[in-house]
Amino acid sequence: MVKKDKRAKTAEQKARVVAKQSKKAAQKEKKGRSKDNDDSDADNVDLESVLEEYAKQQALFLKVTEVACDPPSARASSTIIGSPANSNELFLFGGEYYNGVLATFFNDLFVYLIDRGEWRKVTSPNTPLPRSGHAWCRGGKTGGVYLFGGEFSSPKQGTFYHYNDFWRFDPSTREWTRLESKGKRPPARSGHRMTYFKNYIILFGGFQDTSQQTRYLQDLWIYDCQNYIWHNPLLPPATQKPDPRSSFSFLPHDLGAVIYGGYSRVKATTVAGKQNKAGHQGAKSVLKPLIHQDTWFLRILHPPPEAPAGQAPTVRWERRKKPANAPNPSRAGATMAYHKGRGILFGGVHDVEESEEGIDSEFFDQLFAWNVERNRYFQLALRRPRIANKRQPLVDRGTMKRGRGKVDEEDLLRNLAALENPQSGRDPDAMDVDPFTEQNEEPAKPQPQVHMTMPHPRFNAQLAVQDDVLYIFGGTYEQGDREWTFDEMHAIDLGKLDGVKEIYRRELENWHGSDDEETDTEDEEDDSEDEKMVGDDSGGVPLPPADDEKITTSTPVITSEVLVDVEEEQAEAVVEDDRPHPRPFENLRDFFARTSNDWQNVILESLRKEDSSFSGSVKEVRKVAFELAETKWWDCREEITALEDQQEEAGIGEIVSTKDRAIENGGAGRRR
């Protein structure tokens, strides 16, 4: 009986193999008959006519409207940015979605209201045409948001169109304005990056794609927002500058801008064919991917005051050393957002090897902070919320310390009175100098889910930081010849790192690729069934396990080498920087409450050295002092976080100075 069952099972497997072979032959024949129709996209689609029709449809809108809506549909190569007008809005524009057969481009503008958790869609008669791969940035001192370039393609991506239009978006009125300038302007491109410096908009790199080749760019353009003119600074031939690239990180700096990484394809010669009688082999030129890991600083100098209006600034590229502790292995598609002198980097992909079946790639879900000044990377890991201590909160001790330091405050007021104008003197007790005035709380709303694992590994996710919170929108994941665009957005508090908040998440759509791809996947599933005989799978998108079950690629944040580096940097900081330093487990509010007087003394000492008169009020000095304290707190954030983790591993909780607690328990028995 057993032999009979075994023979029947073997015959069934053979029949399945024959059926699969017949199905493959039928699909290949079908594909051969439809090949000519599939290639017709490049010949029959007139992109200029398509864009003209889009413009006509756009003109039908008579005014700017804003209505509540569902979250944006899945899309890649869009742009997201925090509103420069307030800390409660995010703007998302454009992008494309490719399902394996057709590409769809968008030009819709979405607004996310952070406090309400609501999405709104904005329509306007002068919105830029549909595009992806564009770039935008804040306007610096001039305000607003500036957008340049991007690309558009036919549905089957047979032909491409690159934009060279330049736009300004007003976040308050939701109005788009196309900017026309005299003289030269940047050529059309996509994959470039933009940032701001004072009253300038800086544009670099990108690529131009045609049906024959992809050309990567390394030209630098600077837009003067006051004189409405583009400058293309010319550098001496021997001057070093970054290689052509796209998809790099471009961050603002107090003296210019900083570039890190990027992607391009470079020519390389490979051996091809068999050896001839003379023993020589043929060679052919191919384009190989190159992931850039270099760092460049763009120094910008304003024209002198006596220079004529519209004169170009002086620029100079300076190559920096390779960043310490950079993400390893190198990765493409790792996007970065600017935050308090740091670049916050997430995700990316590394191509492991290329085989006959395709490219084997490793995707990442790691989060890094790049300290620009120190040129050092720190990996960020999620931390479960700490259990609140039973003793009195530190904020109350800080308040009592401010009361205890009344004499120091009076000395500061007397020093300020010597620098202020007589008419600016006011009663310090009557002034509102607390920068942490809390707003009225709104009624509690349902809270989104919070996960203690990073979002699924991906590349080219769109990042934005608003009010010290990182927002991660979309991204792409590949498996074999298939790719999926994530339809979700997450938020991470960069100060607490206490979990990943799920703003929204929708299931991924199925891939509608070629028949060969579907057949290969079916074959893999059938082979798995033949070997294991465990029945049918549940179906769905073939992604690695997510949420609590997924295996993260993140490595431990704290290592002995990292701790040694942190201790060395702190030792140097003690010698070189005598300004107040944050303590472990001390938030920004507590840090400023403890060191407010010290920062004001730093300001007064700086004014004395410069021998300059000061006409501001005590409140203005407090504001500047808070800005200095905030910069210091974020600059030391990664080292302090490492010390906090080290203390928690050793079983050490919050360390409190005895002089801070003297007000609570005075006398000799205060420590019993």
Side-chain angles (χ1 to χ4, degrees):
M1 188 72 181
V2 176
K3 290 183 178 179
K4 185 177 180 181
D5 292 341
K6 188 174 181 180
R7 290 174 182 173
K9 186 182 296 184
T10 303
E12 181 182 352
Q13 291 179 353
K14 289 182 178 179
R16 292 178 64 183
V17 171
V18 173
K20 285 193 297 182
Q21 291 176 348
S22 301
K23 185 178 180 180
K24 280 187 178 181
Q27 286 175 336
K28 288 182 179 179
E29 183 179 356
K30 179 181 177 182
K31 185 178 180 182
R33 290 195 305 264
S34 60
K35 184 176 180 181
D36 295 336
N37 295 332
D38 292 341
D39 294 340
S40 63
D41 172 69
D43 299 329
N44 298 338
V45 176
D46 184 356
L47 292 187
E48 293 185 358
S49 301
V50 173
L51 294 175
E52 287 179 5
E53 185 62 28
Y54 269 115
K56 292 179 181 178
Q57 295 295 327
Q58 195 71 39
L60 297 179
F61 295 107
L62 301 179
K63 61 179 181 178
V64 176
T65 60
E66 183 173 328
V67 295
C69 65
D70 293 331
S73 60
R75 62 193 62 199
S77 301
S78 58
T79 50
I80 186 170
I81 194 172
S83 172
N86 57 63
S87 60
N88 187 47
E89 294 177 337
L90 296 174
F91 296 108
L92 185 142
F93 176 76
E96 66 173 292
Y97 179 74
Y98 182 63
N99 63 1
V101 177
L102 300 176
T104 304
F105 288 78
F106 306 98
N107 71 329
D108 37 13
L109 175 67
F110 290 91
V111 182
Y112 178 65
L113 303 180
I114 298 174
D115 59 344
R116 300 181 183 180
E118 296 178 359
W119 287 94
R120 294 184 178 179
K121 186 174 181 179
V122 179
T123 57
S124 170
N126 56 343
T127 301
L129 293 174
R131 68 192 64 204
S132 69
H134 51 281
W136 67 1
C137 69
R138 298 188 179 195
K141 290 184 177 181
T142 61
V145 177
Y146 290 81
L147 179 148
F148 181 87
E151 68 180 51
F152 179 83
S153 80
S154 55
K156 296 182 180 178
Q157 298 186 325
T159 55
F160 287 86
Y161 180 90
H162 289 273
Y163 295 97
N164 69 337
D165 49 353
F166 190 43
W167 297 81
R168 184 183 187 276
F169 173 71
D170 190 325
S172 300
T173 63
R174 317 297 204 228
E175 284 278 4
W176 288 97
T177 304
R178 181 164 181 170
L179 302 178
E180 301 290 349
S181 59
K182 298 179 180 179
K184 298 187 300 181
R185 59 180 179 177
R189 68 190 67 201
S190 59
H192 53 290
R193 295 293 183 266
M194 294 168 57
T195 189
Y196 60 90
F197 172 70
K198 297 184 178 179
N199 62 304
Y200 295 123
I201 301 297
I202 312 169
L203 183 152
F204 179 78
F207 65 89
Q208 295 173 337
D209 200 353
T210 64
S211 57
Q212 288 80 21
Q213 63 177 356
T214 300
R215 177 172 170 257
Y216 290 88
L217 307 172
Q218 63 177 153
D219 51 342
L220 173 69
W221 293 84
I222 298 178
Y223 181 76
D224 188 336
C225 298
Q226 293 180 342
N227 297 291
Y228 311 105
I229 186 174
W230 281 102
H231 299 290
N232 181 211
L234 297 178
L235 302 175
T239 303
Q240 284 190 334
K241 59 181 178 180
D243 294 329
R245 67 190 71 193
S246 69
S247 303
F248 50 92
S249 298
F250 206 18
L251 303 181
H253 190 274
D254 291 340
L255 301 177
V258 181
I259 280 181
Y260 173 76
Y263 175 87
S264 65
R265 299 178 71 89
V266 296
K267 289 184 179 181
T269 303
T270 59
V271 177
K274 299 180 179 180
Q275 291 185 352
N276 55 24
K277 295 181 179 180
H280 300 291
Q281 282 184 302
K284 66 176 183 179
S285 179
V286 297
L287 291 175
K288 287 192 173 182
L290 173 63
I291 300 176
H292 299 269
Q293 302 182 68
D294 50 349
T295 306
W296 293 82
F297 171 60
L298 177 65
R299 188 180 299 275
I300 302 178
L301 300 176
H302 272 284
E306 63 274 8
Q311 179 172 324
T314 303
V315 302
R316 183 173 72 249
W317 286 107
E318 300 174 3
R319 182 160 188 163
R320 302 182 68 184
K321 295 181 179 179
K322 184 178 178 180
N325 297 336
N328 187 35
S330 60
R331 56 201 66 179
T335 47
M336 186 181 290
Y338 178 74
H339 174 246
K340 306 289 174 109
R342 311 181 302 167
I344 307 300
L345 180 145
F346 175 74
V349 58
H350 175 75
D351 294 333
V352 181
E353 60 180 348
E354 187 170 356
S355 61
E356 294 180 356
E357 299 179 355
I359 299 178
D360 294 332
S361 302
E362 180 182 4
F363 295 82
F364 301 94
D365 62 355
Q366 296 169 322
L367 186 68
F368 289 88
W370 178 37
N371 190 305
V372 176
E373 289 297 331
R374 301 184 186 181
N375 200 23
R376 175 179 290 271
Y377 274 91
F378 298 88
Q379 187 176 346
L380 306 179
L382 300 178
R383 311 166 71 201
R384 295 191 178 275
R386 297 175 59 246
I387 300 177
N389 294 327
K390 294 183 180 180
R391 61 174 180 267
Q392 189 175 6
L394 184 60
V395 63
D396 294 336
R397 295 197 300 272
T399 303
M400 288 182 285
K401 185 178 178 182
R402 287 200 298 270
R404 189 173 68 248
K406 186 175 181 180
V407 176
D408 296 336
E409 185 73 17
E410 291 176 353
D411 291 339
L412 283 170
L413 292 174
R414 284 194 294 269
N415 292 333
L416 285 169
L419 295 170
E420 291 177 348
N421 292 331
Q423 59 270 22
S424 65
R426 290 182 291 175
D427 183 7
D429 295 332
M431 291 188 296
D432 180 16
V433 293
D434 189 359
F436 302 101
T437 303
E438 297 184 358
Q439 300 177 354
N440 296 329
E441 297 183 358
E442 295 183 355
K445 294 183 179 181
Q447 296 296 322
Q449 295 183 8
V450 177
H451 306 279
M452 291 309 299
T453 54
M454 286 292 181
H456 195 286
R458 67 194 67 192
F459 70 100
N460 285 343
Q462 299 303 311
L463 307 184
V465 176
Q466 186 73 306
D467 198 22
D468 301 332
V469 176
L470 173 70
Y471 294 89
I472 304 174
F473 176 83
T476 304
Y477 180 82
E478 296 176 348
Q479 190 174 62
D481 292 331
R482 298 186 171 198
E483 67 178 44
W484 287 269
T485 302
F486 288 95
D487 193 2
E488 59 192 32
M489 188 167 82
H490 305 275
I492 301 175
D493 189 317
L494 295 175
K496 300 177 181 178
L497 295 173
D498 55 353
V500 179
K501 183 187 298 183
E502 185 179 285
I503 305 298
Y504 78 93
R505 181 171 180 240
R506 291 187 289 239
E507 293 300 323
L508 305 183
E509 296 185 9
N510 290 328
W511 177 261
H512 303 287
S514 64
D515 294 335
D516 288 346
E517 294 172 9
E518 295 176 359
T519 302
D520 293 341
T521 304
E522 292 174 0
D523 292 344
E524 291 174 3
E525 293 175 355
D526 292 341
D527 293 341
S528 177
E529 291 172 357
D530 292 342
E531 293 174 3
K532 299 181 181 179
M533 300 299 289
V534 295
D536 294 334
D537 294 334
S538 59
V541 177
L543 294 177
D547 296 335
D548 296 335
E549 299 179 357
K550 87 174 176 182
I551 302 174
T552 178
T553 59
S554 300
T555 56
V557 177
I558 302 216
T559 62
S560 58
E561 296 179 356
V562 172
L563 291 177
V564 169
D565 292 337
V566 170
E567 292 173 357
E568 289 178 354
E569 287 189 1
Q570 288 180 340
E572 294 175 359
V574 171
V575 177
E576 299 176 359
D577 189 358
D578 57 353
R579 298 180 301 174
H581 198 78
R583 297 172 180 172
F585 307 106
E586 184 176 49
N587 59 32
L588 175 58
R589 182 172 190 154
D590 298 336
F591 175 54
F592 182 70
R594 177 175 62 85
T595 63
S596 174
N597 291 343
D598 297 330
W599 290 110
Q600 293 179 70
N601 283 326
V602 169
I603 297 172
L604 293 176
E605 186 64 26
S606 176
L607 292 173
R608 290 193 186 98
K609 289 181 179 179
E610 296 176 359
D611 194 20
S612 60
S613 59
F614 182 72
S615 59
S617 63
V618 177
K619 186 174 181 179
E620 292 173 345
V621 173
R622 279 289 185 92
K623 182 180 179 182
V624 176
F626 174 70
E627 292 174 353
L628 293 175
E630 183 181 30
T631 301
K632 180 68 175 180
W633 191 83
W634 282 110
D635 187 59
C636 303
R637 190 73 202 119
E638 285 73 38
E639 296 95 318
I640 297 300
T641 300
L643 290 176
E644 291 172 355
D645 293 340
Q646 185 184 25
Q647 290 182 13
E648 286 188 338
E649 288 180 359
I652 303 173
E654 182 178 353
I655 300 176
V656 181
S657 174
T658 55
K659 67 178 181 179
D660 291 342
R661 298 201 55 149
I663 190 68
E664 302 178 41
N665 300 301
R670 66 181 182 275
R671 300 182 64 187
R672 293 177 184 174

